[in-house]
Amino acid sequence: MTEKEKMLAGKIYDPTDPELSALRAKAHRLSKEYNDLLENDPKRQETLKELGIEGDSFYLQGPVQFDYGCFTSIGKGAFANFNFTCIDCCPVTIGDNVFMGPNVSLLTPMHPLRWQDRNPYVKPDGSTTDKEYAKPITIGDNCWIAGNVTVCGGVTIGEGCVIGAGSVVTRDIPANTLAVGVPCRPIRAITEEDSLENHPELF
């Protein structure tokens, strides 16, 4: 397996691999170019296509930061507010009509818990690297991920969920659930009682 194949399969890989280093450098450059463009500049869409993000009818307010970009797919009608970070060392899948507030971070990388395994080491060629792996993130359709939420690797958020502001999501969240906290935990199901029709005070 190549180092890229290992990374995407969730196995220990060498992040200093030339292919991966080149992909990251490209994504970091294109993220900066996107951020430097005005939000109504048509070049923004071209930049996202060059990043290799799958999907073409979503909106990223910017600034954004992708580690690879090409391992992320974003559904129709999805929206990310200011300061969206996506470290996509494993596939990141964002469904249709997903709303993401400011400062949302989707973080797939994992590091060994023991420092003896985690710290940098010198390879036979004299260069330095470390042992890393990653886990995918999936966000179902019609979710609202509120501001300052961090989603960790290996998490699936079911469709129709609301994740409260400031939450750190470390475990799967069932569909149609309101979940909040650090660590993020389900609070209750989202039901018909939450329909705006049942809250005339909002109008």
Side-chain angles (χ1 to χ4, degrees):
M1 297 176 76
T2 66
E3 296 302 315
K4 183 174 81 170
E5 289 170 339
K6 291 177 186 175
M7 181 181 78
L8 294 173
K11 298 181 179 296
I12 296 289
Y13 70 96
D14 180 358
T16 66
D17 172 72
E19 180 183 17
L20 294 177
S21 296
L23 285 172
R24 284 196 307 276
K26 177 183 177 182
H28 298 172
R29 173 179 59 81
L30 290 170
S31 293
K32 184 180 186 308
E33 289 181 10
Y34 184 88
N35 298 335
D36 288 343
L37 293 168
L38 296 175
E39 55 190 69
N40 60 352
D41 193 323
K43 290 182 180 177
R44 272 187 149 203
Q45 203 62 30
E46 297 173 18
T47 303
L48 292 176
K49 287 183 178 179
E50 192 175 350
L51 261 167
I53 300 169
E54 290 186 29
D56 58 6
S57 58
F58 55 87
Y59 183 76
L60 306 180
Q61 178 68 53
V64 300
Q65 185 64 57
F66 286 90
D67 215 22
Y68 292 96
C70 56
F71 305 131
T72 295
S73 65
I74 305 178
K76 297 177 181 177
F79 169 81
N81 214 312
F82 301 105
N83 298 317
F84 175 59
T85 299
C86 182
I87 310 299
D88 52 344
C89 304
C90 251
V92 171
T93 305
I94 300 168
D96 295 342
N97 301 308
V98 171
F99 291 3
M100 293 176 282
N103 305 310
V104 165
S105 296
L106 309 181
L107 310 178
T108 68
M110 310 294 289
H111 297 277
L113 295 181
R114 296 179 72 249
W115 65 263
Q116 294 92 337
D117 298 321
R118 184 177 60 247
N119 283 359
Y121 67 94
V122 178
K123 297 192 292 186
D125 65 3
S127 62
T128 301
T129 189
D130 67 291
K131 296 182 175 76
E132 295 184 13
Y133 64 107
K135 294 181 180 180
I137 290 173
T138 301
I139 300 174
D141 296 343
N142 306 310
C143 287
W144 172 23
I145 313 299
N148 295 296
V149 167
T150 297
V151 182
C152 297
V155 164
T156 294
I157 297 174
E159 65 178 349
C161 283
V162 174
I163 308 298
S167 297
V168 178
V169 189
T170 61
R171 299 180 182 178
D172 292 354
I173 305 296
N176 301 306
T177 297
L178 171 63
V180 302
V182 181
C184 187
R185 297 187 185 282
I187 299 299
R188 64 175 177 85
I190 298 172
T191 69
E192 191 62 31
E193 292 181 7
D194 295 303
S195 169
L196 286 179
E197 294 178 357
N198 295 319
H199 294 275
E201 73 277 7
L202 296 175
F203 294 90

